[in-house]
Amino acid sequence: MMSQWITLLQKELVEMWRNFKWLWVPITFILLGVKEPLTSYYMQPILDALGGLPKGAVIKLPEPSAAEVLVEGLSSYTSIGVLIIVLTTMGIIAGERKSGVAAMILVKPVSFISYVTAKWMGGLILLVFSFFIGYLATWYYTGILFEWISFGDFLHSFLLYSLWLGLILTFTVFCSSLFLVPGTAGFISIATVLIYTLISGTLTKWMKWSPSMLTDYANQLLAGQSLPTAANPAAAITVTATIILLTLSVVVFRKKELAA
Amino acid sequence: MNQIEGINIAVLAPVLIINLILIIVAVIDLVRVENTRGPKWLWALIILFVNLIGPILYFIVGRRNN
């Protein structure tokens, strides 16, 4: 059972190497984050060089703090980053089922649990790896151009953001096993994440333990405040929700495959 | 364009290099892959001339898996 699972995971990782995911996803995450400290730092020289301003009109941009820059960099992971995660994950099960690969693999005695969880794990490893590399680069650039945020705070905020991004990935896997068409899975995932973030951002009072608040808590930590007490229950709920969604993915997938 | 003062090339070099790697990887993939969504020459143009977003767009939209 275990060795079978490892084989499936390896197959998944090799497949991601073949279509260059191991290169382009981390690089995209680096560029996404690093763009923030660079543009904030070089805004003044760029404006000067463009020279569009009339003489005498001095625009002094307020210099943002290191934490502000880092938080801004992180926000591109929760926007464009999420979009990339969903778009690259939405076909993880739906696509293969459409092309008949899933049916072919499942003819061999491969359990449904192994099949879905190995795929999920492959996607998660790629996501966490890419996000870590990208965020590390952003942290480093913020350090050399602005001020150094402690490495401990970096790791802590990395963990909190990873939990939230991991949940989004898991939800996309769930949608992918629920809908036959990758496009539908992707659309539903993005719409749900968007609406959910909006709701829990508005109803902050009642949504203190909401998974999407983890990023807010991480931002507060980076800004030098102490981590709110609600962060731990929020993290626990996120992990629980991830496990439940993964279990549901397996259940739904099994049901659909047996019906087919 | 005027010389932009105060920009340290040592800071920007790594970013430019990985940007270049991204473009090269996308081109290699485009050459190797059998068919894409939409014409190949169009993707070549997008990868080469749409900075940063071009290669990413190719990998997400243009690439046909399997």
Side-chain angles (χ1 to χ4, degrees):
Chain A
M1 170 79 189
M2 197 63 203
S3 71
Q4 181 194 59
W5 188 78
I6 302 231
T7 313
L8 277 174
L9 178 61
Q10 272 170 348
K11 172 194 155 283
E12 201 57 29
L13 299 181
V14 169
E15 181 65 34
M16 286 195 279
W17 184 244
R18 270 203 207 113
N19 50 35
F20 290 114
K21 271 190 184 166
W22 285 111
L23 281 173
W24 77 263
V25 182
I27 288 180
T28 305
F29 271 63
I30 292 174
L31 295 173
L32 266 182
V34 156
K35 142 188 138 284
E36 201 49 50
L38 284 177
T39 48
S40 309
Y41 187 78
Y42 288 126
M43 200 42 100
Q44 197 69 54
I46 289 169
L47 280 182
D48 293 345
L50 292 176
L53 304 169
K55 280 259 181 279
V58 182
I59 294 188
K60 270 273 169 255
L61 298 167
E63 173 138 324
S65 71
E68 278 166 5
V69 172
L70 210 52
V71 166
E72 199 54 47
L74 279 167
S75 79
S76 58
Y77 293 126
T78 49
S79 52
I80 306 173
V82 164
L83 203 65
I84 292 172
I85 295 168
V86 171
L87 288 174
T88 52
T89 314
M90 64 188 192
I92 200 167
I93 290 168
E96 290 216 4
R97 197 161 51 191
K98 215 171 141 202
S99 62
V101 178
M104 219 168 67
I105 290 173
L106 291 165
V107 169
K108 298 175 200 160
V110 172
S111 79
F112 294 98
I113 302 174
S114 295
Y115 179 79
V116 175
T117 53
K119 282 194 158 292
W120 169 80
M121 186 50 100
L124 191 68
I125 293 173
L126 177 72
L127 162 67
V128 172
F129 172 75
S130 305
F131 175 49
F132 183 77
I133 297 282
Y135 186 29
L136 186 70
T138 310
W139 172 80
Y140 175 75
Y141 267 89
T142 307
I144 55 172
L145 296 176
F146 295 86
E147 271 168 43
W148 289 98
I149 301 278
S150 82
F151 194 68
D153 283 353
F154 160 77
L155 280 180
H156 204 156
S157 55
F158 164 74
L159 197 70
L160 292 173
Y161 267 83
S162 296
L163 285 173
W164 171 233
L165 294 178
L167 179 62
I168 295 175
L169 175 105
T170 314
F171 185 70
T172 312
V173 171
F174 170 68
C175 286
S176 190
S177 70
L178 190 60
F179 303 105
L180 276 172
V181 188
T184 315
F187 177 77
I188 301 282
S189 306
I190 289 180
T192 310
V193 171
L194 219 69
I195 293 169
Y196 180 76
T197 314
L198 219 75
I199 291 175
S200 77
T202 333
L203 306 173
T204 39
K205 237 183 182 167
W206 294 278
M207 296 292 240
K208 276 191 179 130
W209 292 0
S210 158
S212 72
M213 292 305 288
L214 286 176
T215 57
D216 281 40
Y217 299 149
N219 294 349
Q220 290 177 25
L221 185 78
L222 290 173
Q225 299 162 21
S226 59
L227 200 64
T229 45
N232 283 333
I237 285 179
T238 309
V239 173
T240 314
T242 303
I243 295 169
I244 291 174
L245 276 173
L246 187 60
T247 314
L248 281 177
S249 309
V250 177
V251 171
V252 167
F253 178 67
R254 175 187 281 147
K255 214 171 160 188
K256 296 227 161 174
E257 276 307 306
L258 290 180
Chain B
M1 186 155 154
N2 303 343
Q3 184 77 37
I4 296 179
E5 272 181 49
I7 289 192
N8 187 351
I9 198 69
V11 170
L12 281 183
V15 178
L16 296 177
I17 289 170
I18 62 160
N19 198 355
L20 196 66
I21 295 175
L22 189 64
I23 295 173
I24 293 170
V25 169
V27 169
I28 292 175
D29 191 69
L30 183 68
V31 171
R32 284 202 331 191
V33 99
E34 247 168 58
N35 48 12
T36 49
R37 275 195 197 98
K40 259 194 178 189
W41 61 268
L42 187 67
W43 281 114
L45 290 181
I46 292 173
I47 291 168
L48 291 175
F49 296 110
V50 185
N51 191 24
L52 181 57
I53 306 166
I56 300 171
L57 218 57
Y58 164 69
F59 278 116
I60 292 179
V61 183
R63 206 175 187 286
R64 225 191 270 272
N65 285 314
N66 303 320

